[in-house]
Amino acid sequence: RNPMDVPSLQSPNFPVALARREHPELAHRPIVVGGAPEEHARVTACSPEAAKAGVTIGATLRRALALCPTAVFLPVQEGFARAEAGRLAGIIRMRSPLVEVIDPGHIHFEVRGLPKLLGLTEPAYLAELHESVAGETGLPARIGAANGLFAAHAASAILDLGFEIAAPPLEDRSRTPTSARIVNRESRIVNSLVVAPGREPEFLSYVPIEVLP
């Protein structure tokens, strides 16, 4: 299987991303999705800022308030999120004959032969696809491709954490395997990633366990 056959696209932290798109003033502010703090409900999503304060998915809203009193609490908007997830899937369906929605904002899709047909390299194709998706939805998106869905999922998920892989598992196949490493580039998040064919085990050996499916 060619590494570009079935990429994985993720719009990280989809409910929070939607809230920040609709309300740009919430950028960098701690967000808790689930309802008002006085409600007897639980956290269904939270921003990295809230998570850093100790808020976790499934915690009670009162507990979330105690951990992060400066957080903005938002209601669950399942209908809106479902509609936006459908819109994202629709954009991909215009570019792929086979689309599988895993979760809202998480899609696997087939692009067999399309980069070559368009005269693009695989990384260039992913970069253009990302630009198109981000431009049409206004949402962050990470796209990973590898020889197999497991590694493709890991490739897209690791970008969500602001990590990228230093060669050789990617472009430079001439370097020794021991030189591969994962680095955190918080100031420059990469949005797409292609794992070189045959280097999937090496790539996965450097991936943090929390991003594995």
Side-chain angles (χ1 to χ4, degrees):
R1 182 185 288 271
N2 185 284
M4 279 294 294
D5 281 356
V6 187
S8 171
L9 179 147
Q10 296 190 54
S11 182
N13 212 343
F14 195 63
V16 172
L18 286 175
R20 285 178 167 167
R21 186 194 68 184
E22 299 300 303
H23 303 280
E25 69 274 12
L26 296 180
H28 309 301
R29 294 192 62 182
I31 296 172
V32 174
V33 178
E38 61 272 15
E39 295 180 28
H40 295 287
R42 295 184 179 273
V43 177
T44 61
C46 65
S47 68
E49 296 82 2
K52 187 175 181 180
V55 178
T56 58
I57 305 300
T60 65
L61 296 177
R62 289 182 179 180
R63 174 62 177 165
L65 178 63
L67 290 168
C68 191
T70 61
V72 176
F73 285 76
L74 300 175
V76 177
Q77 295 182 301
E78 292 183 358
F80 176 62
R82 187 163 50 247
E84 288 300 306
R87 179 183 172 210
L88 176 60
I91 292 171
I92 298 300
R93 287 192 177 97
M94 294 178 63
R95 296 164 172 82
S96 170
L98 182 62
V99 174
E100 180 184 10
V101 178
I102 308 303
D103 285 308
H106 183 189
I107 300 170
H108 295 162
F109 55 102
E110 185 173 301
V111 293
R112 192 185 307 268
L114 287 180
K116 185 176 181 180
L117 183 65
L118 296 172
L120 298 172
T121 65
E122 292 166 351
Y125 177 86
L126 285 189
E128 286 200 4
L129 179 61
H130 169 268
E131 183 178 353
S132 177
V133 169
E136 291 185 50
T137 66
L139 294 169
R142 314 282 184 254
I143 307 175
N147 192 341
L149 283 177
F150 188 89
H153 172 97
S156 61
I158 198 172
L159 296 174
D160 180 20
L161 299 181
F163 286 81
E164 64 175 293
I165 308 295
L170 304 181
E171 293 114 5
D172 184 359
R173 302 186 64 181
S174 64
R175 297 174 62 184
T176 59
T178 55
S179 65
R181 67 191 187 281
I182 289 178
V183 293
N184 189 341
R185 305 186 186 279
E186 295 181 352
S187 62
R188 183 173 63 85
I189 294 180
V190 178
N191 293 310
S192 60
L193 176 64
V194 178
V195 180
R199 310 307 289 267
E200 294 82 13
E202 182 179 359
F203 164 74
L204 290 170
S205 71
Y206 291 94
V207 172
I209 192 170
E210 62 264 27
V211 308
L212 297 177

